[in-house]
Amino acid sequence: AEMGAGEIESARTDDPDAQRWLEYIKQLIPERAISGRYRDASRREWEVVVYDYASTRKAWNTWFFVSWTLGLGAQESVTVHGADGLYLDTDDGRILLFHRGPYLIGIRSASGASVDDLAALANSVQV
């Protein structure tokens, strides 16, 4: 409900084009999302969010969409679990997104953290 699934359901219409778009948008919404916040030895805060799509295909389709749209503004890709991940610099730190099986994983690093630190945490995420 927090992600707008209820609004999508209530917005159904008789227009076939609108129905097709609503079905497409619903595919981008994960079945579950789990998040955790961590502090490192320097007391900097990190956040990890795992989006569970319950299907590798749904996760891959979403990853393809996200990587294509965000990839235009992303920095160089970084290897995570043998695959490409994308990271973006923000005012608060860096955000790394990557795909693994039926999951999309997002990590927000602490301000001042290096890409190597971000990749090391990403590689330690077990899903």
Side-chain angles (χ1 to χ4, degrees):
E2 290 178 33
M3 295 179 186
E7 292 175 24
I8 290 172
E9 288 296 322
S10 68
R12 291 193 178 236
T13 176
D14 294 334
D15 181 4
D17 289 335
Q19 287 180 355
R20 195 170 342 124
W21 276 105
L22 288 173
E23 288 303 313
Y24 180 73
I25 290 169
K26 282 174 49 177
Q27 291 180 26
L28 300 175
I29 299 172
E31 297 290 321
R32 283 174 286 293
I34 301 167
S35 68
R37 291 188 180 178
Y38 309 93
R39 291 195 187 270
D40 61 17
S42 300
R43 308 279 304 149
R44 299 179 302 177
E45 190 170 285
W46 297 70
E47 183 174 11
V48 176
V49 181
V50 177
Y51 300 100
D52 182 352
Y53 285 87
S55 157
T56 300
R57 182 181 174 119
K58 279 182 72 176
W60 174 253
N61 289 342
T62 304
W63 168 248
F64 182 76
F65 174 76
V66 168
S67 64
W68 183 78
T69 55
L70 292 181
L72 300 175
Q75 305 296 318
E76 294 180 26
S77 64
V78 60
T79 302
V80 178
H81 291 290
D84 286 337
L86 295 174
Y87 71 90
L88 304 160
D89 288 327
T90 68
D91 292 339
D92 299 329
R94 288 192 168 102
I95 297 174
L96 170 67
L97 298 169
F98 64 97
H99 167 257
R100 183 165 174 114
Y103 308 104
L104 289 185
I105 296 103
I107 299 176
R108 184 181 54 82
S109 71
S111 184
S114 72
V115 175
D116 291 337
D117 292 339
L118 189 59
L121 177 58
N123 280 308
S124 70
V125 171
Q126 295 180 8
V127 288

